[in-house]
Amino acid sequence: MTEKTIFKKIIDKEIPAKIVYEDDLCLAFYDVMPQAPVHFLVIPKKEIASVSDIGPEDGELIGHLFAVIGKLAAQLGIAEEGYRVVSNCGVNACQTVKHLHFHVMGGRPFGWPPG
Ligand code: DGP
């Protein structure tokens, strides 16, 4: 059996996290290495390794995750000035945790294109 990812352990409440929001399908919690004044992660409870592993059957779930992102961004006060949503996928994008996650960052300006 493969070892649980750190995010699966957070879902299973085996390790603590500063949880922002939780429902049957997803969990949102603050990133331990924040890159912005507000930086939280939104993850599905379903174990999907990365964007590359999203299937057509996940359409409703992914839509739900983005609805949650928008709602939390508004609640946490970053929606008006704008925020960035990022999903690192694979080695070149520096994905370190192989459980699909969306970084939601706000409270400062972000450059484009990214470095
Ligand atoms: P990445 O896989 O590169 O998209 O980033 C994973 C992010 O997860 C990284 O910004 C740090 C964060 N992270 C890693 N381990 C933990 C943890 O145990 N708790 C929390 N809250 N965040 C974590």
Side-chain angles (χ1 to χ4, degrees), residues 16-102:
K18 283 178 71 180
I19 292 175
V20 181
Y21 174 82
E22 179 168 16
D23 64 27
D24 289 347
L25 296 176
C26 72
L27 189 64
F29 52 95
Y30 287 107
D31 196 295
V32 277
M33 291 188 288
Q35 304 301 317
V38 176
H39 183 175
F40 60 94
L41 303 168
V42 177
I43 69 172
K45 289 188 172 174
K46 179 179 177 182
E47 289 187 274
I48 299 171
S50 77
V51 167
S52 296
D53 302 288
I54 295 169
E57 69 281 7
D58 298 315
E60 208 169 309
L61 172 61
I62 301 303
H64 178 69
L65 295 182
F66 275 88
V68 167
I69 286 170
K71 192 177 81 174
L72 294 179
Q75 277 176 12
L76 295 173
I78 57 173
E80 202 165 313
E81 290 194 314
Y83 58 98
R84 181 162 288 175
V85 181
V86 170
S87 192
N88 296 320
C89 183
V91 175
N92 274 3
C94 300
Q95 182 182 4
T96 57
V97 181
K98 290 189 174 59
H99 183 118
L100 178 66
H101 51 284
F102 295 98

